Amino acid sequence: MRGPIVAALAIATLPFVSAQLSWDEAYTKAEAALTNLSLSDKVGIATGIGWQGNGGCVGNTHPVESIGYPSLCLQDGPLGVRYASSITAFTPAVQAASTWDRNLIRERGQFHAEEARALGVHVLLAPVAGALGKIAEGGRNWEGWSPDPYLTGVAVAETIEAMQAVGVQATIKHYIANEQELRRETMSSNVDDKTMHEIYLAPFYDAVKSGVAATMCSYNKLDGTWACENDHVMNELLKGQLGYQGYIMTDWGAQHSNAPAANAGLDMSMPGSNYNGGDVYWGNGGLEGAVQSGDVAEERVNDMAKRILAAWYKMGQDGEYPPLNLDLNVQGDHGANVRACARDGIVLLRNEDNILPLASPSSIAVIGSAAVKGDHANNVCVDKGCNDGALGMGWGSGSVEYSSFSEPYAAIEEKAPGAVTLSDSDDASKGAAAASGKDVALVFITADSGEGYITVEGNAGDRNNLDPWHNGNELVKAVAKVNENVIVVVHSVGAIIMDEILALPSVKAVVWAGLPSQESGNALVDVLWGETNPNGKLVYTIAKQASHYNTQVVSGDDDYEEGVMIDYRHFDSAGIEPEFEFGFGLSYTTFDYADLEVQSSATSGPIAGDIVSGGPADFFDEVATVTASVTNSGAVAGAEVAQLYLSYPESAAGQPPKQLRGFAKLPLEAGASGPVSFSIRKRDVAVWDVEGQQWTVPAGEFGVLVGASSRDIRLEGTIQVA
Ligand code: NOJ
C-alpha cells in the first residue's frame, strides 16, 4: 500500500509586527539626531569595537548615549543566529530556493529574524547574493540561493522584506563577485560592465528595492581595486545607479585603507579591531585624523552616520528593543518551516519502475556513514568544519549549532520498525553485505564545502572536485551489484558528477535531498513514503562531466571570460546536454500545460525614470503578463513549479538563449487544473546598454517559453516589442 500523498504548499499569510519608516522619514530623524553629535560620536557609529567585543556578536559599534543609540549587535548568519545556544537551524538558502516557494522563503526569513530580535540582535548578516554560484565547486554557494540571478533576486527580496518587517536590519552580502574561496582576500574579479549589470548586480537591485538596510562589501578586488574601497561599485553602482540609501559595511577585515575607503563610499568598518592581525583604519583616531587633515570631508562622515542611524530608525529599533541575550530559547515552532523547506526542497532526479514512493518494503538496508549522526550533527566540529555522518549544511561563518537533529536512519527505523538493517560505514563490502537479500537498499552519499578559513578533508573551502565524498561511487556500485532496488540519497552543497552511479541499472531512484539542516530524516521520510509528493526543482545545472562547466576556481585573478553565460545559460548557448538541467525535478504525478496567453504593452527604448531605491523608477513596472493552465494528469496530488523563460530578440546580441523570468508553484489534487500567471517587468525584458550606460528594452520578438524545467518547455508564445 502506498501512503497518502498530499500537496506540499504549507503557509499562506504571515503576521508582521513592525511598521517600518520610509527612507525619507528615517533620514529626517537621522538628520535631526546628527545635529547633536560630535565628530567622534559619528566616527563611533561607523566603527566597530572588535570581534565579539560586546557579548557574542561578531560585530558591534560604539553607542551614543545622548541620542539613546545603543552599541549595535551585528550577527551571522544566513541560516540562523550564530553563537546562540537554543536557536533554529533553518535550511541553507540553497535548499529553500529549491522549494521555489515564495511563502516558505518569506516565512523562513521572518522566523529567522524573530529569533534574532528576541535575542537582541540588531543586524543580521544575511541574505547572500554573492557568491551567486557561478563556479560549481565554489565553497560558499550553499549560503546563497542559485546561480540564476532572477531566482536569487526573488529570494533575497522575500527574505529582506520578511526580516525587516520584524524590525531586524538585513544585510545583503557579499558585494560583489565573491565567487570562490581560494585567494578570496587577494584576488581580483574582473567583470565586464554588461555581465556585472545583467548577472551579478541583478539581485542587488531587488535587495535595494526591498529597502535593505545594510550591504557588506566583499573581500575580493574588482578590476584591481578592493571592493571595500571601490568608488565604482560602491558610489557609482550601488549608491548611484541603484539608489541605495542604506549603509555599506566591510566584510570582516576587508578594509585596506582609511581615506580612500571613506571617499569610495564605505560607511562602516567591521569588526573594527585588528581582527586576524589586520590593520585598524578608522578606530583609534584614524578617521578623525583623516577629517582633520582634509583627506575626508566631514560631510562624508555625516553621511555615514546618517545612513547607519536611518537604518536603525527605519526598523523602529529606537523603540523598545530586547537586550542582548544569546542564551534564550527562541525556537518556537519554527522547526515546521525547516521541515517544510527541507522536504519541499528535495528534488527527485530518477524514479524507475516507480520504486518511489515506497510500498511497505519488508526489509530495508540503510547504508553509509551519512545515514547516522556523527560529529557534524552532534556539533562537535567548530563552525561545522567536518563532514562526518549526516550532513545538513556546509561549514564556516554561515553555519550554526543544531539544537536538535533528525537522523535519517532513526527516522526510517521509526517509519518501518523492525524492517531496517543498518551499515553505518562507507566500507563497500560492509554496505554490500547489508544490502544483500533486502527488498530495497538506501545508500547515503555526500559532498561538502564551506568557507576557506577551515580545510575539511583537503578541501580548503572550495571543493577540490565534483565527486561524491567518502568513496560514494564505490559504495553505490558495491551495493548495486547485490541489490536491484537501490535508492541513492544525496546530501550535497551543490552539483556532483553522477555518471558512474546513473550508469547502474540497479540504481532505480536518486533522491537529491540537498542540505536539509536539522530536519533531515523527517523530511526524507515524508518524501520516500509519499506523505509528500516531491515538488522541489534544481536551482543549478548538474553536468554529465565536470569539464562541461565553463567556470572553475582560478588560482590568480578571474577575468569572468564566460560573461553572462553561467550555469544553464552556458549549457544552452554551448549546446551541451546536462545530466539534469536547471529547473528539473520529478513528481509522483504528471502535469500537463495548456492555454498560454500573453498580454504585452512593452515598448522598446531606454528605461529612463528618475533613480529611486532599486534603480530607475519604472524599472520594476509590469509590461506584460503571461498566463497558462496546469493540470495534474496523474493519480495523486502534487505541486508543480511552472517556469517562464524569455528568449531575446536578435537585435539584442550576446543574450543567453533563454533566461528565467518567472515561476509559480501550484498545488493540485489529482485531476485538478489551475491557473499560473507570471508578471513580466520592464527589467525582465531589458539589457544593459554599455555605451549609453543605461537599461534599455530591445525591439523585436521575444520568445515566451513556459514549462516544467529549462529544457522541458511545454508552451511557446511571443512578445513583439516595437
Ligand atoms: C566573513 C564572512 O565572509 C562573512 O560572511 C561573515 O558575515 C563575517 N566573516 C563575520 O563572521
Side-chain angles (χ1 to χ4, degrees), residues 634-722:
V636 291
E640 172 69 329
V641 179
Q643 298 154 47
L644 166 76
Y645 298 84
L646 290 183
S647 67
Y648 278 56
E650 272 164 31
S651 67
Q655 290 306 111
K658 66 172 102 67
Q659 309 199 64
L660 184 73
R661 290 293 188 253
F663 62 89
K665 190 163 196 179
L666 185 66
L668 287 170
E669 296 299 322
S673 299
V676 286
S677 77
F678 311 94
S679 167
I680 297 175
R681 304 151 307 174
K682 227 178 228 186
R683 69 171 302 197
D684 299 325
V685 290
V687 295
W688 179 251
D689 169 9
V690 173
E691 219 164 281
Q693 286 294 294
Q694 60 189 346
W695 289 96
T696 184
V697 178
E701 183 177 290
F702 285 81
V704 175
L705 314 166
V706 173
S709 82
S710 64
R711 295 228 167 178
D712 184 5
I713 301 303
R714 309 287 186 85
L715 304 169
E716 294 195 37
T718 56
I719 293 173
Q720 305 291 343
V721 176

Side-chain angles (χ1 to χ4, degrees), residues 13 64 83 91 109 118 158 170 176 180 211 406 461 467 510 515 571 599:
T13 49
V64 185
Y83 298 131
T91 62
E158 295 289 358
I176 191 172
Q180 66 174 52
S406 163
D467 296 329
V510 176
L515 293 177
F571 284 80
Q599 264 165 357

